[in-house]
Amino acid sequence: MVNYWCIDDESSTATSEIALLNASADDIQISLREPTTLKDLLADIASKAPDGLILDLRLDEVPSKSKYIADYRAGTLAQQIRSLAAEKRIPEFPIVLWSSEPNLRKSYDNDIMSHGLFDRVYIKNRVVDDPKRVAFELKHYAAGYKALTDVLTSGESSLVAIVGAQGASADFINSIVLSSIQWNQICSSTHTLARWILRRLVRSPGPLLDEQVLAARLGVSANDSADWSELAHRILSDCMYRGPFCEIALRWWALNIEEWWTKLQPDIPLSLTPPEERVQIIKKASKLEKLSPVQVGEGKGPLLWYVCERTLVALDPKDGLAMVDEDLESWNEPQFVSIEYALTDSKVPLQPIEKQRLQAIKAARSKK
Amino acid sequence: MSLSHETRVIRSTLAAELRNLAAFFDRQKFARTSLPIQKASAQVLADESAPDNEWSYRIERLCLPLADDLRAYPPSVYDAQLELSVAVCGKCSLESEHHDPLCRLEAEIVVMGRCPQKEQLFCSWHFDRHVDGEKEPHAVHPRYHMHFGGRRMTKSSLDFGATLLMPGPRLPHPPLDGLLFIDFALSNFAEAKWRHARGQAPYLRLIREAQLRLWRPYARATFHNWVKPSPTEWSPRDVWPHLC
């Protein structure tokens, strides 16, 4: 059983959400706790060692049953826990944040320094939309932390071994990724390691691809292909990421997909093959018939490689605009939006070079 | 597989050079991502499929938005982009003065753009190393040559209007690896970026080293068409079949 504590000053509203989560999985137990003094709460956490914490962002708004109003917020509490964990005075576990959307906008979005403290942020009233998914994720965050703690305790310090990379992906990690990071510092605690794996590998494209980008690279229209799941999960099973937190987000190793392709078609790289040919070759090799290629729109490039992050349409790089994300490493891939989407949304954060492109496109189209 | 010392030195030198080029591209923000160069760097270092005495890597679709750099016809072209791909394989020899330094080379320059009448404007140049025995050539094939068109155009479903695409002329050019190929493409299609890069010592150093490895043997082989005896095993007429 995975035991989470939920610390929330609004116990009346949190009770129903917690009950829903507890009812959504047999192997997770979330107990609600009201804030006490920071010192008492930290002592309690240290002695009882829950498997994970769910923190309400604003713990300082509503008095508890004993009329106590906390003088700290989730960020302060999480920072204290992370500091004590770094000194090995508290066990390491995942900390997730949940809060109302207005509170997140008002008190969290701009508090960038606190973002690294939490493993996941949930909008509290949306938990009811898919409680099974949330309970599943909480369980696997806790499992991922435990697995990483065991790995670090065992003395294993090879990134390739920890994330289970093989072939070209292992080569890329060894020669490119490791030369750009302070690996010893990342390995200094379970939290820093978990945070790095989640942020840099699992949640950012680069060495790992999500299912939409995978489909784009294979040229397959997943929605129109009854055999898509069979291809992605069985045929490409060896390319799937099996490292920490793999249950939370399905990912495939990008370079292993390209290696797989090279065995099918050694002459022309995947990225230079149009979708019809990609699918034709994949169908022949996999014996899966129900795979349909992505239909490329009129005037669009056929060499699909990315997806528009907003519309999920597969994109040839020439038809996309790369977004800026200063937090990414150079070996992470930028995320893209389609030109059509960028023309409708002026708030998309684009790379400076892409802003120039968009301006030129706007100017040319306005003359048409 | 245990590699010879020479092979390890050459592969790790090339990997470091490619990594430095990627870092230079990142600093200058020339491309949206330098990942294609980084992947090549990882590949050259760890390519177990390559024979011990060879190195190889592939840069796939390095994409550079050209902004206002491109001068072209139609003059109304906008959103021009340059896309570079190269697959190259060379010999691991620290003493490569006297023979052809590469075994295989295929590279493609693609320039794309739009104009008010058309959403897709496209042209490509193909550069390769002629492989002996690969269909006896009818027209002259300098060992390293470049021609307009190539597979990206002939296989494209785009309408090229009244343009006639032919396999020649194949223009001789000194061999190119990833660095020299990128430098060549910048110098012809992104002049401002190229001039800026050429003013930067780290970039210049990379290009100078690559020229020394690839162009010195080429120039030497050609030179010895007129200066005998020739110490080089690379025949001038192999380099440049027009010589007599």
Side-chain angles (χ1 to χ4, degrees):
Chain A
M1 181 67 78
V2 176
N3 290 302
Y4 266 80
W5 288 7
C6 173
I7 300 170
D8 198 325
D9 57 344
E10 292 180 89
S11 54
S12 56
T13 56
T15 310
S16 60
E17 276 119 11
I18 289 170
L20 195 60
L21 289 175
N22 281 334
S24 301
D26 295 334
D27 43 8
I28 187 164
Q29 180 62 47
I30 303 167
S31 47
L32 180 64
R33 305 203 163 220
E34 289 190 319
T36 56
T37 66
L38 193 55
K39 193 178 167 196
D40 289 348
L41 189 53
L42 290 169
D44 216 15
I45 290 168
S47 64
K48 299 198 175 107
D51 298 315
L53 278 188
I54 302 168
L55 301 184
D56 178 35
L57 177 62
R58 293 295 302 268
L59 297 166
D60 54 348
E61 288 182 319
V62 181
S64 66
K65 283 174 195 150
S66 56
K67 310 285 181 227
Y68 175 76
I69 296 188
D71 54 359
Y72 55 88
R73 297 180 185 183
T76 311
L77 175 57
Q79 181 60 66
Q80 283 288 334
I81 293 169
R82 297 301 189 202
S83 299
L84 292 171
E87 294 169 4
K88 315 284 180 218
R89 290 162 62 189
I90 275 184
E92 300 222 54
F93 45 71
I95 305 177
V96 305
L97 190 66
W98 75 359
S99 186
S100 65
E101 205 164 358
N103 269 357
L104 284 173
R105 265 207 301 273
K106 193 170 106 193
S107 306
Y108 176 76
D109 286 356
N110 294 328
D111 182 15
I112 293 163
M113 296 302 281
S114 74
H115 290 191
L117 299 166
F118 302 103
D119 297 290
R120 178 80 154 97
V121 178
Y122 292 105
I123 295 170
K124 204 197 284 186
N125 49 352
R126 290 212 201 136
V127 165
V128 296
D129 295 345
D130 193 354
K132 274 196 174 149
R133 176 72 203 168
V134 176
F136 178 84
E137 286 186 4
L138 291 173
K139 188 176 84 175
H140 286 289
Y141 278 120
Y145 262 72
K146 281 223 179 332
L148 287 177
T149 302
D150 290 347
V151 162
L152 291 180
T153 311
S154 73
E156 176 61 74
S157 61
S158 151
L159 174 55
V160 162
I162 291 172
V163 298
Q166 295 185 341
S169 296
D171 297 338
F172 185 82
I173 286 177
N174 280 330
S175 61
I176 302 295
V177 175
L178 285 172
S179 66
S180 72
I181 57 175
Q182 299 287 329
W183 178 237
N184 287 343
Q185 280 181 19
I186 290 165
C187 280
S188 62
S189 74
T190 303
H191 166 63
T192 50
L193 181 54
R195 170 90 192 142
W196 188 87
I197 290 173
L198 286 167
R199 176 77 185 98
R200 300 281 193 249
L201 276 185
V202 173
R203 290 183 187 143
S204 302
L208 294 176
L209 308 174
D210 68 19
E211 196 164 345
Q212 277 90 19
V213 179
L214 174 72
R217 294 210 176 169
L218 298 177
V220 176
S221 171
N223 290 338
D224 303 320
S225 302
D227 281 338
W228 166 248
S229 185
E230 189 70 359
L231 173 65
H233 295 90
R234 185 175 65 79
I235 303 287
L236 296 173
S237 159
D238 288 348
C239 303
M240 281 184 92
Y241 170 67
R242 311 255 180 223
F245 310 109
C246 64
E247 303 85 357
I248 294 165
L250 293 178
R251 295 291 183 268
W252 286 258
W253 289 102
L255 292 177
N256 297 130
I257 294 290
E258 290 178 46
E259 279 184 320
W260 173 77
W261 171 266
T262 306
K263 284 181 198 149
L264 308 185
Q265 163 55 289
D267 300 330
I268 303 177
L270 180 62
S271 72
L272 294 174
T273 308
E276 295 79 18
E277 279 177 52
R278 293 182 196 179
V279 172
Q280 208 177 2
I281 289 167
I282 292 168
K283 277 166 92 169
K284 196 175 162 199
S286 66
K287 310 261 189 300
L288 297 173
E289 276 305 310
K290 293 170 194 156
L291 296 173
S292 303
V294 177
Q295 297 302 315
V296 176
E298 180 71 26
K300 300 283 177 263
L303 301 180
L304 310 173
W305 205 243
Y306 300 107
V307 294
C308 169
E309 281 305 307
R310 302 291 195 265
T311 62
L312 301 184
V313 169
L315 290 176
D316 183 311
K318 87 174 185 70
D319 296 317
L321 297 158
M323 293 195 283
V324 72
D325 187 344
E326 297 295 345
D327 200 26
L328 292 182
E329 300 283 354
S330 65
W331 43 264
N332 282 127
E333 294 203 61
Q335 296 192 311
F336 282 76
V337 287
S338 66
I339 290 170
E340 282 65 33
Y341 181 83
L343 288 168
T344 65
D345 183 354
S346 59
K347 288 185 182 156
V348 182
L350 296 175
Q351 291 186 4
I353 202 168
E354 302 287 50
K355 281 184 189 163
Q356 284 179 10
R357 277 184 67 206
L358 186 63
Q359 276 169 7
I361 292 167
K362 273 184 186 165
R365 292 197 177 175
S366 69
K367 284 185 204 157
K368 266 189 186 176
Chain B
M1 185 174 65
S2 87
L3 300 171
S4 68
H5 172 69
E6 200 168 39
T7 296
R8 278 203 304 272
V9 169
I10 288 176
R11 288 189 186 181
S12 54
T13 304
L14 294 175
E17 286 181 355
L18 287 165
R19 234 179 9 244
N20 290 340
L21 181 69
F24 179 79
F25 262 60
D26 286 335
R27 281 198 303 278
Q28 305 300 331
K29 308 242 181 284
F30 277 1
R32 296 152 161 171
T33 170
S34 66
L35 197 57
I37 308 175
Q38 296 185 57
K39 280 157 78 171
S41 167
Q43 212 178 22
V44 71
L45 198 61
D47 189 358
E48 288 189 7
S49 61
D52 178 36
N53 59 348
E54 290 180 6
W55 55 265
S56 70
Y57 62 81
R58 187 186 276 278
I59 295 173
E60 263 176 47
R61 302 181 80 193
L62 177 68
C63 190
L64 291 85
L66 291 179
D68 300 325
D69 285 340
L70 191 74
R71 277 175 285 174
Y73 181 84
S76 56
V77 64
Y78 66 94
D79 191 26
Q81 295 177 67
L82 181 64
E83 192 186 281
L84 307 175
S85 299
V86 54
V88 57
C89 171
K91 292 165 191 164
C92 287
S93 168
L94 293 170
E95 313 267 334
S96 57
E97 285 286 288
H98 301 307
H99 54 73
D100 184 351
L102 300 183
C103 321
R104 287 189 301 279
L105 170 64
E106 225 182 319
E108 211 143 37
I109 296 172
V110 173
V111 185
M112 295 169 284
R114 306 170 205 274
C115 73
Q117 295 76 32
K118 283 199 171 175
E119 262 299 292
Q120 292 199 80
L121 299 175
F122 188 98
C123 85
S124 67
W125 285 82
H126 185 80
F127 185 78
D128 71 35
R129 180 186 186 280
H130 177 61
V131 182
D132 289 324
E134 188 191 62
K135 283 187 245 162
E136 203 47 44
H138 296 293
V140 69
H141 275 62
R143 176 61 65 191
Y144 293 94
H145 61 257
M146 188 169 288
H147 72 269
F148 179 75
R151 193 170 49 214
R152 284 291 288 277
M153 276 183 89
T154 52
K155 290 260 179 187
S156 163
S157 55
L158 293 177
D159 166 22
F160 292 110
T163 311
L164 192 60
L165 287 173
M166 293 175 292
R170 297 175 182 85
L171 308 170
H173 191 280
L176 301 172
D177 63 0
L179 285 89
L180 294 174
F181 173 63
I182 288 169
D183 187 65
F184 173 87
L186 291 180
S187 70
N188 281 283
F189 299 99
E191 198 186 316
K193 286 186 179 66
W194 183 67
R195 293 207 181 282
H196 177 76
R198 283 295 188 112
Q200 310 288 313
Y203 180 82
L204 211 52
R205 213 165 25 242
L206 291 171
I207 299 302
R208 196 179 288 135
E209 285 299 314
Q211 287 181 354
L212 193 68
R213 272 195 306 267
L214 270 66
W215 288 8
R216 202 160 113 134
Y218 183 89
R220 188 186 278 256
T222 318
F223 172 73
H224 281 290
N225 187 55
W226 296 279
V227 179
K228 309 285 181 187
S230 168
T232 172
E233 293 169 19
W234 197 2
S235 131
R237 289 183 63 189
D238 179 69
V239 173
W240 203 352
H242 299 84
L243 292 174
C244 53

